[in-house]
Amino acid sequence: MDLNPSFLGIALRSLLAIDLWLSKKLGVCAGESSSWGSVRPLMKLLEISGHGIPWLLGTLYCLCRSDSWAGREVLMNLLFALLLDLLLVALIKGLVRRRRPAHNQMDMFVTLSVDKYSFPSGHATRAALMSRFILNHLVLAIPLRVLVVLWAFVLGLSRVMLGRHNVTDVAFGFFLGYMQYSIVDYCWLSPHNAPVLFLLRSQR
């Protein structure tokens, strides 16, 4: 019987301990009595900016109002990206079932059953996905491009500061969101490869 734990096991446990310790240290807005508790309302407002429901509703509204084929194509793919993000995040959360940090307050904006789990951060995946999408499909001046990247970074950081997630939840969320855009770009929907979707939209 081997009583010596493997090097890999020790490394993983050490990384997990560091992750939990660092996440708790950075959770400075986790409650009103926290060291940065006064900033909590601002962080919760930022939280809404990365929530899936406003993005979905905004995309559907713009899709209904769009009167150009190019605009519809971009918005159709944005909707596809958002739905893919929700599906993959829910699937991984259901499989991993990592609980949220103990210092988190469950006062989040519109939660679903899988939202009791922490890994990965859906806000972080959405931030990375949307920032790549926007930077690749909107012509923006350099200051606005910097603001988009800054929004994504600060949103991810705020998840740890609010105590919603551990650092690794956010880090993996950024990675997953980055890769999701690559999937959307590879499977890009257009009138040529998905004519039914655009035909239905044009008949409305």
Side-chain angles (χ1 to χ4, degrees):
M1 184 176 178
D2 185 11
L3 297 178
N4 295 319
S6 67
F7 174 78
L8 180 60
I10 293 174
L12 288 176
R13 282 193 292 271
S14 299
L15 286 174
L16 178 61
I18 293 171
D19 179 36
L20 295 175
W21 173 81
L22 183 59
S23 301
K24 190 171 183 179
K25 286 289 185 183
L26 290 174
V28 292
C29 302
E32 290 76 7
S33 59
S34 301
S35 56
W36 287 23
S38 60
V39 187
R40 183 175 171 80
L42 181 61
M43 290 294 173
K44 291 186 69 176
L45 187 63
L46 182 62
E47 178 177 66
I48 296 174
S49 78
H51 197 281
I53 290 179
W55 279 101
L56 277 172
L57 292 179
T59 302
L60 286 170
Y61 176 78
C62 292
L63 187 58
C64 291
R65 301 286 295 178
S66 176
D67 57 359
S68 72
W69 282 100
R72 291 173 193 168
E73 183 174 332
V74 171
L75 289 166
M76 192 75 76
N77 283 277
L78 178 57
L79 181 62
F80 168 54
L82 290 167
L83 293 174
L84 175 67
D85 174 59
L86 290 174
L87 177 64
L88 289 180
V89 169
L91 180 63
I92 296 174
K93 281 188 175 184
L95 290 173
V96 177
R97 295 174 178 263
R98 185 184 195 184
R99 292 288 178 179
R100 291 189 182 271
H103 54 283
N104 174 51
Q105 295 183 21
M106 287 300 290
D107 57 351
M108 295 175 288
F109 173 74
V110 187
T111 58
L112 301 174
S113 59
V114 292
D115 287 328
K116 62 185 177 184
Y117 301 123
S118 177
F119 184 91
S121 165
H123 281 70
T125 63
R126 201 166 299 112
L129 173 63
M130 290 301 96
S131 60
R132 279 198 78 187
F133 197 101
I134 290 169
L135 293 177
N136 279 279
H137 296 286
L138 289 182
V139 179
L140 299 174
I142 291 178
L144 290 177
R145 296 177 73 85
V146 171
L147 280 177
V148 170
V149 175
L150 187 61
W151 167 78
F153 174 76
V154 174
L155 180 60
L157 179 61
S158 73
R159 308 310 291 154
V160 182
M161 294 176 67
L162 279 169
R164 308 295 197 208
H165 292 280
N166 296 300
V167 174
T168 49
D169 302 333
V170 173
F172 183 78
F174 278 143
F175 170 76
L176 181 61
Y178 187 90
M179 296 307 297
Q180 281 176 350
Y181 176 79
S182 298
I183 296 173
V184 172
D185 190 50
Y186 180 78
C187 304
W188 188 261
L189 304 175
S190 71
H192 301 290
N193 60 21
V196 176
L197 291 176
F198 290 89
L199 181 62
L200 289 173
R201 175 65 188 87
S202 63
Q203 290 177 345
R204 292 187 56 185

